Amino acid sequence: MRAVALGGGHGLHATLTALRRVTREVTAVVTVADDGGSSGRLRRELGLVPPGDLRQAFAAFAAEDGGRLWAEVFQHRFGGDGALAGHAVGNLLLAGLFEVLGDPVAALDEAARLIGISGRVLPMSPEPLEIEAEVTGLDSRDPGAVRRIRGQVAVASTPGQVRRISLHPPAGADRPPAGCPQAIDAVLGADVVFLGPGSWFTSVLPHLLVPDLHDALVRTSAAKVVVLNLIPQPGETAGFSPERHLDVLFEHAPALRVDAVIADRDSVPDPAGLHRAAGRLGARALLGAVADPIVAGRHDPDALAGCVRQAIGEHRG
């Protein structure tokens, strides 16, 4: 079974970890809009696709393929207060490959060969992108006033309420964001495609705003599964119900139809409301105990894998 998971950061890491319990044929399609921390520094200084979310995907694959040392090394950050302070080893390795090979896809495939993983990591776009959000609640005199803020870090940490996002190519490019051809082919050739969990406005929804990738998600014959977050995120989705997450997804991609929505049953205060919201996307909601019983806010990979199998089985049936 060919599975494609779209997202970024820790949310994508959770999906990949669960999927490797179901199939070995997994492709990660990763957001490339990060502008903070080590990734942001490399992006600004070298003009490269930000490597941080790509690094997280490699770490997930390496850990599941028995390469735990590689996973630890990729995630290791240098300490101290020198030029390397805060940089992750994996970010520097990927940045070096990007510069030497001149092609992010070729560089990522070479990194996969180097560390011996069987999954594939692809960027959603071969160029760094920028997120812009429409936000309310930033003006105390007029809480309903809409303000526009730019940058993934600014959007993720805003004290206001994000209403809508848009995605922009590098400065000076008068065209829509470009999709990665290999990522588009992976979506069209998949048996199942996953969206989420993760930072809803900065890791999940951006994939729907790359026109070529959006069209592939609409056209693919693959089963489409949305995995919801366990808790709202401060800033991006503070106060959001599970069904509000789905409504926002529909607002950004009204042509998209989904087959299943996976949610943790203890994180859904209104199951009937979630079933209705899933139905508006054409989907069935699957509620299970998918939260890690020890680490708050984290999915349990074995439990999530069980729900994935159920969603795939029902689609095939």
Side-chain angles (χ1 to χ4, degrees):
M1 183 184 67
R2 294 162 298 184
V4 175
L6 296 88
H10 295 291
L12 180 60
H13 191 290
T15 306
L16 296 176
T17 303
L19 279 177
R20 292 311 291 269
R21 288 154 165 77
V22 179
T23 177
R24 306 295 291 179
E25 296 289 326
V26 182
T27 298
V29 177
V30 185
T31 182
V32 288
D34 192 4
D35 61 355
S38 170
S39 282
R41 289 163 60 189
L42 292 169
R43 172 179 177 161
R44 289 187 295 274
E45 293 172 16
L46 304 176
L48 302 173
V49 168
D53 289 314
L54 298 159
R55 182 198 81 243
Q56 291 266 31
F58 275 111
F61 279 134
E64 294 305 308
D65 282 350
R68 295 194 175 276
L69 178 59
W70 267 115
E72 184 177 348
V73 169
F74 251 57
Q75 298 286 58
H76 176 74
R77 291 186 184 272
F78 292 103
D81 55 6
L84 289 178
H87 276 303
V89 172
N91 287 357
L92 297 176
L93 175 60
L94 292 176
L97 284 169
F98 291 162
E99 284 210 325
V100 170
L101 296 179
D103 175 0
V105 172
L108 294 168
D109 286 344
E110 182 61 23
R113 187 199 64 78
L114 176 67
I115 64 178
I117 63 171
S118 56
R120 194 178 192 193
V121 179
L122 295 169
M124 70 176 184
S125 173
E127 57 191 3
L129 302 178
E130 187 172 31
I131 295 173
E132 181 178 83
E134 297 176 6
V135 181
T136 57
L138 297 179
D139 187 338
S140 59
R141 294 171 296 180
D142 185 4
V146 176
R147 299 286 183 266
R148 285 183 169 82
I149 58 176
R150 277 209 174 200
Q152 179 169 314
V153 171
V155 174
S157 59
T158 179
Q161 179 73 63
V162 180
R163 299 297 180 183
R164 190 171 187 86
I165 62 165
S166 55
L167 202 59
H168 302 276
D174 186 21
R175 54 170 172 75
C180 171
Q182 294 86 347
I184 292 163
D185 289 343
V187 169
L188 292 174
D191 297 305
V192 59
V193 175
F194 291 83
L195 272 169
S199 300
W200 213 244
F201 285 102
T202 55
S203 290
V204 178
L205 295 183
H207 292 80
L208 304 174
L209 303 180
V210 178
D212 291 342
L213 189 54
H214 168 275
D215 292 347
L217 287 166
V218 171
R219 290 165 43 214
T220 184
S221 60
K224 283 165 274 191
V225 181
V226 172
V227 183
L228 290 177
N229 293 337
L230 299 172
I231 54 176
Q233 290 185 284
E236 281 199 33
T237 55
F240 272 35
S241 64
E243 51 268 30
R244 178 60 182 151
H245 285 74
L246 296 182
D247 290 342
V248 167
L249 188 151
F250 179 76
E251 290 165 8
H252 283 79
L256 182 68
R257 289 295 173 265
V258 175
D259 295 283
V261 174
I262 295 175
D264 179 64
R265 63 187 178 209
D266 293 332
S267 302
V268 180
D270 180 13
L274 180 61
H275 282 287
R276 288 192 297 271
R280 289 193 285 272
L281 289 168
R284 179 184 175 191
L286 301 177
L287 277 63
V290 296
D292 190 309
I294 299 174
V295 183
R298 179 181 297 177
H299 286 82
D300 177 86
D302 292 319
L304 184 55
C307 274
V308 165
R309 292 188 185 97
Q310 181 183 352
I312 294 169
E314 291 187 1
H315 175 74
R316 287 176 171 173

